[in-house]
Amino acid sequence: MILIFVFFVNKNYKLLFVAFLFYLLGHILWSFAILCEKPLIFNKVIEEWLVNIPFFIFTIIGLIATYRLYKNK
């Protein structure tokens, strides 16, 4: 239901939806990293990078979407 709504709304809201999907992915990876004692991937440094990349993408897409929303108002 939510996905149907998102695809019929403004393009900027689609960007916000994609941004929050990246936030969710980053948060899930971060939670797994906290719960597991050993690194999920090869070593701790690579795991930290894999956790930080979705948050970085979330930030960039979120900034673009909010700028577009501000510009259109």
Side-chain angles (χ1 to χ4, degrees):
M1 182 70 176
I2 293 174
L3 290 175
I4 294 171
F5 175 73
V6 167
F7 288 111
F8 286 118
V9 296
N10 191 347
K11 183 171 69 171
N12 298 324
Y13 292 110
K14 290 180 192 176
L15 281 176
L16 281 176
F17 182 74
V18 171
F20 284 108
L21 285 178
F22 275 106
Y23 177 80
L24 179 67
L25 176 66
H27 193 73
I28 289 171
L29 288 173
W30 187 27
S31 297
F32 281 134
I34 290 172
L35 292 175
C36 296
E37 290 181 16
K38 294 190 299 186
L40 296 173
I41 313 293
F42 306 109
N43 61 19
K44 194 72 173 169
V45 175
I46 293 174
E47 182 177 322
E48 288 176 2
W49 274 101
L50 288 178
V51 168
N52 285 324
I53 288 171
F55 287 119
F56 175 73
I57 295 172
F58 159 74
T59 304
I60 299 302
I61 293 175
L63 283 173
I64 292 170
T66 52
Y67 174 74
R68 287 183 180 177
L69 283 171
Y70 175 74
K71 193 171 102 174
N72 287 339
K73 290 217 176 202

